[in-house]
Amino acid sequence: MTPFQEQLQNLPAYLGGHLRLVLVSLTAGTLVSVPLGILASRHARLESLVVGTAGIIQTIPGLALLAIMVPLLNRIGTAPALLALTLYSLLPILRNTVVGIGEIDDNILEAGRGLGMSDGQLLRMVQLPLALPVIVAGLRTSTVWVVGIATLSTPVGATSLGNYIFSGLQTRNNTAILFGCVAAAALALVLDAIIHGGETGLREGKKWRTGFAAAGGVAVIVLALLLGTGGAGQGAENRAALRIGGKPFTEQYILMNFLSDWMGRENTFDTRQVTNLGSTVAFDALRQNQIDLYVDYTGTLWNMEVKNTAMPTDPDSLLRRLSQILQRRYGVTIGATLGFENAYCLAMRSAQARTLGVESIRDLSRYAPDLVMGGDVEFFGRPEWPRLKNTYHLRFRATRTMDAVLMYAAVRDGQVDVISAYTTDGRIAAFDLKILRDPGQVFPPYDAVVLLSPEAARDSAVVRRVRQLNHTIDADLMRRMNMRVDQERESPEQAGGELYRRILGESTAGGS
Amino acid sequence: MITLRNLTKTYGDTVAVRDLSLDVRAGELLVLLGTSGCGKTTTLKMINRLVEPTAGTVLIDGRPHAAVAPVELRRSIGYVFQGIGLFPHMTVGENIGIVPRLKGWEPARRTRRIEELLRLVNLPAASKDRKPAALSGGQQQRVGVARALAAEPAMMLMDEPFGALDPLTRAALQEEYQAIRTRLNITTIFVTHDMTEALLLGDRIAVMDEGRLIQTGTPRELLTDPTNAYVERLMTTPRTQAEQLDRLMGKA
């Protein structure tokens, strides 16, 4: 299969999900904002309130608005995405409704009233028809925005064309990224053309144009209803599908695919993947039984869910304490400890470390004022960062936040000198980077664990199957798998399958 | 018959119309004359309740008009607007047929009436399906008059209807409207600030100044027996113009 065909396979599901999100939120947005705009056009005070509020919503970055909806609605998936996108679609339609109605010549309104139209008749026969082109222009703006922003609903668990972009960025698969961008742009153009064609066709009485737009509209709705919805109920008679979650980076993609194979193949479990979830989103979804299992890391979980208590520095006591707390507070069970740690560490180019004579982070304090430090998007906000600075007296010349994907290339190319790396990342070896020792034990242990939702933990078959994974993957194996995807251009499915075959081989070999 | 009794309209501290009483006889054309801002448009709008009076009453055929719902009242009175106010998204035919539509006439009856009115105001039948923007200013105001006449009202209110037209078109429309309203016996109140137009069209003229009614009378009465200096000054312009014209004709 060519890389292009590989991406094409996912198109029905991603495009279908995207279309459904866009159509539903635009319809809801129009149904809310046109009446609201009409009301606002009659009461000046309401106008400033409503348009002001919609304007404020618009200033919230799309990704943040989507993320806020998850704790607000207490769920992941389509619902928070739809709510956020609907809110996002309001402003252009609302503002254009107010402007469109407000722009109508007073002479025309007075004529309507003077001839004996009621308020409702004036609205229906005069104000709305005259404001329609302006309102439709607003709808077109909203459409283009919403198609674009809908790509950001992937991290809250709603399937969209963003799945291409997020996975592509994390696994550095440019074909996937390009595929997602082009598909979203094409969709925006097509929807815009349909709305524009329909409106001008109706207004100018051009039948062929109206017909063309109507046919396009029907085709889009049919696509939205059909694409990627088939076969959902298959095989689910006995048991609901086991929903396996994952966060958006290479290791998680591989482990998610591996877990699907492990639970799904040769077993009675039906599995479904819920990919690209944000850190807190994934855990919240798990404790609410919206996903059944996923892999997380002990240090991350402690910082996220326990916070205020000092973290045990010893991996085993951390695991024990965490296991108790998660069980007691959320009913979440640690089903298995995979056997490797994906910890934060500081890394720099081996050559530079040799030249400076740097072995550990402690050696770094002397050179830090001349060095630039790069961190992933959450690093400088984590509790380790101030601890790190205090313990080792670090004062860097500058710090730069960047996406983890770009961070490794940045240190390799000398754009930064030190980065916050992950110990299992394949690029540490590939780019000849050196991991600096942490004698002060600032970085907590990050043992990879499989978490089970309260519901999944009650299913003894699931618990047994997961428990077999205890200490089956060591750091070296995980690093090699990550390498396959990051460097050797394998897909996460392939790497996950390979991991599955190896562990299956070992467990049968060990069992015989 | 329209009777105005002690009509007053104030906006905050400003008095737009002050204690105005006036009888308009059935079938006559009464001109409300005065400089801009004298309260004549406000008076006109109080008759069909586009503006509600602060005090006083309007009687139509002896009945207080406040007893009729504004929407019903307006549908029974033709109104020609200063700014014409045709609906730009509707065809000429749809514009003319709007009040019959509001009153729930059958489509066939509406179509017949539209064609009849186009003939009445001297517009080509083909203009029915055109948009107002495709017409000249004079044609647009013909549509405005036709729209006001559509539901066969017994009364017409006209607010400087021909003000923005060129003199030739204006004269033609004045003449045509005179013929129509005489034939159909329509009671008309016609607002203008143009003395000559008032003298040529009005059966009677009511002169207003600063919200007050100064004098009501036939054109001859106003010319020969002005109540005060203001009315006399108003009459000077048409008189001087007439004398100048006479002299020109005499020389020629």
Side-chain angles (χ1 to χ4, degrees):
Chain A
M1 221 186 318
T2 67
F4 183 79
Q5 285 169 324
E6 217 167 81
Q7 300 310 324
L8 204 58
Q9 273 189 322
N10 291 324
L11 190 64
Y14 293 177
L15 181 62
H18 204 92
L19 260 181
R20 285 187 285 279
L21 285 176
V22 168
L23 294 186
V24 174
S25 54
L26 281 176
T27 308
T30 308
L31 289 179
V32 170
S33 44
V34 171
L36 209 57
I38 292 168
L39 271 180
S41 70
R42 294 183 182 179
H43 308 281
R45 222 187 270 163
L46 187 66
E47 176 185 334
S48 53
L49 179 75
V50 164
V51 176
T53 310
I56 289 169
I57 294 173
Q58 213 73 71
T59 61
I60 303 174
L63 193 57
L65 188 66
L66 279 151
I68 288 170
M69 292 303 151
V70 174
L72 220 60
L73 294 182
N74 230 340
R75 57 185 307 137
I76 59 159
T78 316
L82 280 180
L83 183 59
L85 293 175
T86 302
L87 285 174
Y88 230 84
S89 72
L90 294 182
L91 182 68
I93 309 175
L94 187 64
R95 200 177 40 203
N96 281 32
T97 305
V98 174
V99 169
I101 289 178
E103 260 176 0
I104 299 170
D105 187 354
D106 283 339
N107 283 321
I108 292 168
L109 296 180
E110 178 156 80
R113 268 191 218 102
L115 293 171
M117 288 182 186
S118 64
D119 283 353
Q121 286 168 331
L122 191 68
L123 182 69
R124 226 175 32 251
M125 299 168 106
V126 179
Q127 289 171 299
L128 280 183
L130 285 176
L132 192 67
V134 186
I135 298 174
V136 171
L139 175 63
R140 289 173 62 193
T141 310
S142 279
T143 304
V144 174
W145 284 7
V146 168
V147 168
I149 289 162
T151 57
L152 301 177
S153 28
T154 296
V156 299
T159 305
S160 73
L161 291 171
N163 286 37
Y164 280 126
I165 300 169
F166 278 86
S167 316
L169 271 175
Q170 294 304 327
T171 59
R172 294 190 299 156
N173 183 336
N174 292 334
T175 317
I177 299 173
L178 208 63
F179 211 92
C181 293
V182 171
L187 181 62
L189 289 176
V190 167
L191 292 182
D192 185 57
I194 289 174
I195 298 171
H196 182 56
E199 192 259 328
T200 51
L202 276 179
R203 185 154 43 95
E204 291 161 17
K206 287 184 179 147
K207 290 214 177 70
W208 63 270
R209 205 173 206 186
T210 319
F212 196 68
V218 170
V220 165
I221 290 168
V222 169
L223 277 182
L225 290 175
L226 293 182
L227 277 183
T229 52
Q234 282 172 11
E237 305 92 41
N238 303 328
R239 181 194 296 278
L242 210 54
R243 292 152 304 176
I244 298 172
K247 304 197 229 180
F249 54 92
T250 303
E251 184 169 295
Q252 285 275 329
Y253 295 130
I254 297 171
L255 289 172
M256 188 180 61
N257 280 292
F258 162 70
L259 282 176
S260 297
D261 285 346
W262 182 254
M263 303 305 291
R265 279 201 203 171
E266 301 156 39
N267 262 287
T268 48
F269 300 108
D270 241 346
T271 60
R272 195 156 70 79
Q273 300 185 351
V274 185
T275 184
N276 285 316
L277 301 172
S279 255
T280 55
V281 172
F283 187 80
D284 287 344
L286 184 84
R287 68 181 171 81
Q288 291 163 23
N289 293 307
Q290 291 175 22
I291 59 174
D292 296 301
L293 59 151
Y294 81 103
V295 174
D296 213 326
Y297 308 91
T298 51
T300 309
L301 285 164
W302 185 279
N303 279 334
M304 206 163 60
E305 300 303 328
V306 187
K307 280 176 206 149
N308 299 327
T309 327
M311 195 188 302
T313 47
D314 165 55
D316 291 330
S317 41
L318 171 61
L319 186 65
R320 232 181 2 262
R321 288 277 311 277
L322 191 66
S323 178
Q324 286 164 358
I325 291 172
L326 294 184
Q327 183 70 62
R328 210 175 48 233
R329 284 196 196 165
Y330 308 108
V332 166
T333 306
I334 294 182
T337 311
L338 288 177
F340 72 91
E341 191 186 4
N342 183 5
Y344 265 119
C345 62
L346 293 193
M348 61 195 299
R349 290 182 298 281
S350 296
Q352 192 182 22
R354 251 192 324 276
T355 321
L356 299 176
V358 172
E359 279 290 325
S360 76
I361 307 177
R362 186 165 290 146
D363 303 332
L364 203 58
S365 59
R366 197 146 45 101
Y367 306 104
D370 297 321
L371 303 177
V372 177
M373 161 91 198
D376 65 37
V377 284
E378 53 183 286
F379 185 76
F380 296 116
R382 295 176 70 103
E384 289 96 325
W385 173 239
R387 271 211 306 275
L388 197 66
K389 285 194 292 187
N390 292 336
T391 310
Y392 297 113
H393 312 287
L394 293 179
R395 251 219 219 101
F396 286 100
R397 181 155 62 87
T399 55
R400 299 209 203 298
T401 300
M402 58 189 86
D403 195 275
V405 178
L406 310 171
M407 203 168 61
Y408 291 91
V411 72
R412 176 194 61 191
D413 302 340
Q415 288 164 312
V416 297
D417 304 297
V418 183
I419 59 166
S420 67
Y422 314 107
T423 48
T424 52
D425 200 294
R427 284 167 288 196
I428 289 178
F431 291 173
D432 194 18
L433 303 181
K434 182 178 178 58
I435 295 178
L436 304 182
R437 281 191 300 107
D438 175 23
Q441 288 193 306
V442 168
F443 288 114
Y446 282 91
D447 287 310
V449 291
V450 181
L451 297 180
L452 298 176
S453 70
E455 251 171 40
R458 278 196 289 276
D459 188 331
S460 57
V462 173
V463 173
R464 262 201 315 278
R465 185 70 181 159
V466 169
R467 198 184 294 143
Q468 291 173 336
L469 290 174
N470 258 325
H471 300 286
T472 47
I473 306 172
D474 63 19
D476 189 51
L477 179 58
M478 194 66 239
R479 202 176 293 138
R480 283 206 311 270
M481 291 300 138
N482 286 337
M483 273 281 273
R484 281 173 171 248
V485 175
D486 284 336
Q487 292 304 311
E488 292 154 25
R489 296 269 164 262
E490 272 188 20
S491 69
E493 290 84 356
Q494 288 170 313
E498 173 64 20
L499 191 57
Y500 168 70
R501 276 186 297 279
R502 287 196 189 199
I503 288 170
L504 197 67
E506 273 171 29
S507 68
T508 47
S512 62
Chain B
M1 200 177 96
I2 305 168
T3 310
L4 313 183
R5 281 269 156 73
N6 310 106
L7 272 189
T8 297
K9 181 68 193 177
T10 55
Y11 295 99
D13 289 339
T14 15
V15 184
V17 176
R18 195 187 298 266
D19 197 26
L20 185 142
S21 295
L22 181 67
D23 286 314
V24 187
R25 295 167 201 149
E28 82 167 330
L29 189 151
L30 179 116
V31 173
L32 269 184
L33 178 68
T35 51
S36 36
C38 73
K40 46 193 199 304
T41 295
T42 308
T43 305
L44 200 68
K45 286 181 177 172
M46 280 194 281
I47 294 171
N48 78 348
R49 298 185 68 184
L50 273 178
V51 170
E52 293 290 348
T54 312
T57 47
V58 176
L59 303 171
I60 290 173
D61 294 331
R63 289 213 327 252
H65 84 333
V68 188
V71 167
E72 293 304 321
L73 180 75
R74 291 171 199 156
R75 288 175 193 171
S76 67
I77 304 175
Y79 204 121
V80 183
F81 302 88
Q82 188 174 7
I84 309 183
L86 296 182
F87 304 120
H89 58 297
M90 297 182 189
T91 63
V92 167
E94 287 167 337
N95 266 284
I96 295 175
I98 195 77
V99 182
R101 188 171 146 202
L102 294 174
K103 296 183 94 164
W105 290 20
E106 295 292 316
R109 184 176 168 206
R110 273 186 349 229
T111 312
R112 270 201 312 278
R113 181 66 180 150
I114 291 164
E115 284 160 2
E116 199 177 298
L117 283 161
L118 286 172
R119 279 194 300 277
L120 187 71
V121 299
N122 289 323
L123 280 172
S127 55
K128 181 178 151 222
D129 295 321
R130 303 172 76 181
K131 289 282 172 71
L135 304 184
S136 71
Q139 286 174 320
Q140 287 185 14
Q141 196 49 289
R142 282 192 163 92
V143 176
V145 173
R147 183 174 66 174
L149 289 169
E152 298 165 342
M155 281 164 278
M156 287 276 276
L157 305 177
M158 302 177 86
D159 189 2
E160 303 198 28
F162 310 135
L165 304 177
D166 67 84
L168 281 178
T169 315
R170 182 199 296 205
L173 273 163
Q174 284 169 346
E175 220 169 284
E176 284 166 27
Y177 184 69
Q178 276 292 33
I180 290 169
R181 68 108 188 166
T182 318
R183 183 147 65 87
L184 302 176
N185 195 32
I186 299 170
T187 311
T188 305
I189 302 181
F190 191 108
V191 164
T192 184
H193 61 256
D194 182 320
M195 278 32 101
T196 315
E197 188 171 57
L199 290 170
L200 290 175
L201 282 180
D203 293 325
R204 287 192 303 148
I205 298 170
V207 181
M208 286 184 73
D209 186 34
E210 291 180 346
R212 270 183 242 268
L213 187 62
I214 307 292
Q215 185 177 6
T216 311
T218 62
R220 177 176 296 275
E221 282 166 0
L222 289 187
L223 282 168
T224 55
D225 187 17
T227 293
N228 64 10
Y230 176 72
V231 180
E232 194 172 356
R233 212 165 49 243
L234 278 181
M235 293 305 131
T236 319
T237 317
R239 200 199 300 272
T240 324
Q241 282 174 348
E243 283 164 8
Q244 283 173 339
L245 282 175
D246 277 346
R247 238 177 292 137
L248 280 171
M249 306 273 272
K251 272 184 186 170

